[in-house]
Amino acid sequence: MPSIKYDDYLIKSLKNKKEAAAYLTACFDDSEEVFLLGLRNVVEANGGVSTMAKTTELNRENLYKILSEDGNPKLSSLSNILKALGLKISIKDIREVA
């Protein structure tokens, strides 16, 4: 059985909206830095930063900055990116999650 690179597998799986949502939720639960890395991966799986910049009407350079390790996106920018990916933020009572 031929092996497949993990990065290739990850990017392919993140094209699926349910997979991307579960992945980003797990990333968010880990840390802000991991969430931004995860969001970069989901953006890459869906055409990359250039495509996302056109879809969201965000400046490409700003989008790179938002998705960087030191990124600190505004909620409006984050919402635009997630909307372009076909996703949205959801708030849950943590007592129900545990």
Side-chain angles (χ1 to χ4, degrees):
M1 180 173 179
S3 64
I4 183 171
K5 291 182 181 178
Y6 174 74
D7 288 343
D8 293 341
Y9 169 78
L10 178 63
I11 296 302
K12 183 178 178 183
S13 70
L14 293 177
K15 292 179 182 183
N16 177 290
K17 300 294 182 227
K18 288 184 181 182
E19 290 284 332
Y23 175 74
L24 287 175
T25 298
C27 290
F28 186 84
D29 288 344
D30 189 289
S31 70
E32 184 177 326
E33 294 81 13
V34 171
F35 175 74
L36 290 174
L37 173 64
L39 187 57
R40 276 197 312 269
N41 288 335
V42 175
V43 166
E44 178 65 30
N46 288 276
V49 172
S50 293
T51 299
M52 188 60 50
K54 291 175 189 170
T55 305
T56 61
E57 297 182 0
L58 292 170
N59 180 296
R60 192 175 55 127
E61 288 77 23
N62 288 341
L63 193 52
Y64 275 113
K65 187 186 286 186
I66 288 168
L67 297 174
S68 74
E69 287 182 30
D70 298 323
N72 190 12
K74 290 182 181 180
L75 184 57
S76 59
S77 298
L78 182 58
S79 294
N80 281 341
I81 295 167
L82 292 173
K83 184 178 179 181
L85 293 168
L87 303 170
K88 70 176 185 171
I89 295 173
S90 177
I91 308 297
K92 295 182 180 180
D93 181 339
I94 61 172
R95 297 172 292 185
E96 295 177 10
V97 177

